């Protein structure tokens, strides 16, 4: 059976440190965002940590929600692409084909999670950074849509390595950059077709929920609710 990749995001563990964001940018050659790009809403970040405030001052609490492409099983971005530049592969990934993209941006407009980014500019890095770019990842040029790939380059490398060594278990150690960098293990990645994987177990956790569930996009990313001890009901004693 083919692997089906998915991720569980535990909101209760996320501290909002943004290590996942930096790791993703470094792994996937994301262009450097300057103030002007943020101000023009043209900054690119495959994973972001949305921040919410809950409660009223002085009892305010910060809540963090790491958000990336949800790799939806019923993805709204796919049917609107006129050139099939985004499609679903046999491993549950929502794939983006850069050299097929003609830049209509229909997919980004149809994504309810705002997880897709358009290259309005040709990326430029300081010369000293050139040797730091990841050679396994294409540098996207102006006019191309991009988004989280679940670090597909790592998936492909691990798949090849597992095949070469005959060690099928090796693939279960695979992690995308964000999950690898997270200091609190809030991001758990794995094979949903393996019932014994940690991510499969978390998908059946009592705290599990789906973002924008009413839209029926069937994401391959599930979230685990925050546990707020102060808001928890008093235990009932018999
Ligand atoms: S690295 Fe982990 S704890 Fe830090 S913001 Fe990302 S998900 Fe949250």
């Amino acid at each position: 059976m083919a692997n089906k990749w998915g991720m569980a995001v535990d909101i209760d563990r996320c501290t909002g440190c943004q290590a996942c964001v930096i790791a993703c940018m470094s792994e996937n050659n994301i262009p450097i965002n300057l103030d002007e790009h943020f101000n023009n809403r043209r900054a690119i970040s495959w994973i972001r940590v949305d921040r919410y405030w809950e409660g009223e001052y002085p009892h305010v609490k910060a809540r963090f929600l790491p958000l990336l492409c949800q790799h939806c099983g019923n993805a709204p971005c796919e049917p609107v692409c006129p050139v099939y530049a985004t499609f679903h592969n046999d491993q549950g990934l929502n794939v983006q084909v850069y050299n097929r993209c003609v830049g209509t941006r229909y997919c980004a407009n149809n994504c309810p999670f705002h997880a897709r980014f358009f290259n309005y500019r040709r990326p430029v890095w300081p010369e000293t950074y050139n040797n730091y770019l990841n050679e396994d990842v294409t540098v996207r040029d102006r006019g191309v849509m991009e988004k989280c790939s679940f670090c597909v380059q790592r998936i492909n490398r691990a798949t090849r390595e597992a095949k070469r060594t005959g060690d099928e278990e090796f693939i279960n150690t695979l992690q995308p950059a964000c999950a690898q960098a997270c200091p609190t293990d809030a991001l758990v990645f794995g094979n949903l077709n393996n019932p014994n994987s940690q991510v499969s177990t978390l998908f059946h956790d009592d705290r599990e929920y789906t973002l924008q569930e009413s839209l029926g996009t069937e994401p391959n990313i599930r979230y685990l609710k925050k546990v707020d001890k102060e808001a928890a009901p008093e235990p009932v004693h018999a």
Side-chain angles (χ1 to χ4, degrees):
M1 195 193 309
N3 299 317
K4 184 182 181 201
W5 302 109
M7 183 182 276
V9 181
D10 192 341
I11 299 302
D12 197 46
R13 284 175 174 261
C14 179
T15 61
C17 71
Q18 309 238 12
C20 51
V21 177
I22 300 300
C24 173
M25 292 197 136
S26 178
E27 169 76 17
N28 293 300
N29 300 338
I30 311 276
I32 294 173
N33 296 307
L34 306 176
D35 283 357
E36 66 187 84
H37 302 135
F38 282 102
N39 293 338
N40 290 334
R41 301 183 181 207
R42 291 183 176 178
I44 296 177
S45 182
W46 287 8
I47 177 171
R48 66 180 188 270
V49 183
D50 283 354
R51 186 184 60 190
Y52 300 92
W53 299 107
E54 210 174 80
E56 293 295 330
Y57 180 82
H59 305 293
V60 185
K61 290 176 184 164
R63 305 293 196 208
F64 303 104
L65 186 82
L67 226 150
L68 57 160
C69 170
Q70 303 287 297
H71 292 274
C72 305
N74 187 18
C77 55
E78 291 172 10
V80 294
C81 178
V83 292
Y84 302 107
T86 184
F87 70 95
H88 228 70
N89 77 1
D90 60 353
Q91 300 189 17
L93 299 181
N94 174 254
V95 181
Q96 180 71 22
V97 186
Y98 300 129
N99 60 1
R100 202 184 284 168
C101 177
V102 293
T104 63
R105 290 167 278 148
Y106 295 156
C107 55
N109 289 329
N110 229 30
C111 173
F113 307 103
H114 299 288
R116 294 179 153 262
F117 300 89
F118 187 67
N119 279 273
Y120 284 95
R121 61 188 195 273
R122 174 164 285 173
V124 182
W125 284 270
E127 205 180 325
T128 47
Y129 278 40
N130 285 347
N131 290 336
Y132 290 102
L133 295 180
N134 185 352
E135 60 187 15
D136 286 341
V137 179
T138 311
V139 171
R140 288 76 57 190
D141 205 348
R142 183 167 174 256
V144 170
M145 189 61 70
E146 62 178 66
K147 53 141 211 120
C148 160
S149 67
F150 267 164
C151 289
V152 68
Q153 66 281 4
R154 292 191 179 201
I155 295 175
N156 290 340
R157 189 180 278 249
T159 306
R160 283 197 304 272
E161 194 63 17
K163 204 169 174 183
R164 188 180 69 78
T165 58
D167 178 9
E168 287 299 319
E169 281 304 303
F170 179 76
I171 198 113
N172 294 327
T173 63
L174 163 69
Q175 284 194 311
C178 56
Q180 187 181 17
C182 179
T184 60
D185 292 335
L187 309 173
V188 177
F189 178 81
N191 181 9
L192 297 171
N193 279 345
N194 176 0
N196 300 322
S197 67
Q198 191 186 359
V199 69
S200 295
T201 313
L202 291 174
F203 267 43
H204 295 101
D205 193 278
D206 287 346
R207 293 189 290 127
E208 175 270 339
Y209 70 102
T210 306
L211 290 188
Q212 307 260 33
E213 189 169 4
S214 60
L215 297 180
T217 62
E218 299 168 18
N220 281 329
I221 296 187
R222 301 282 172 84
Y223 287 75
L224 302 181
K225 283 181 196 158
K226 180 95 183 157
V227 181
D228 192 339
K229 293 208 177 80
E230 290 169 30
E234 290 292 312
V236 179
H237 299 291

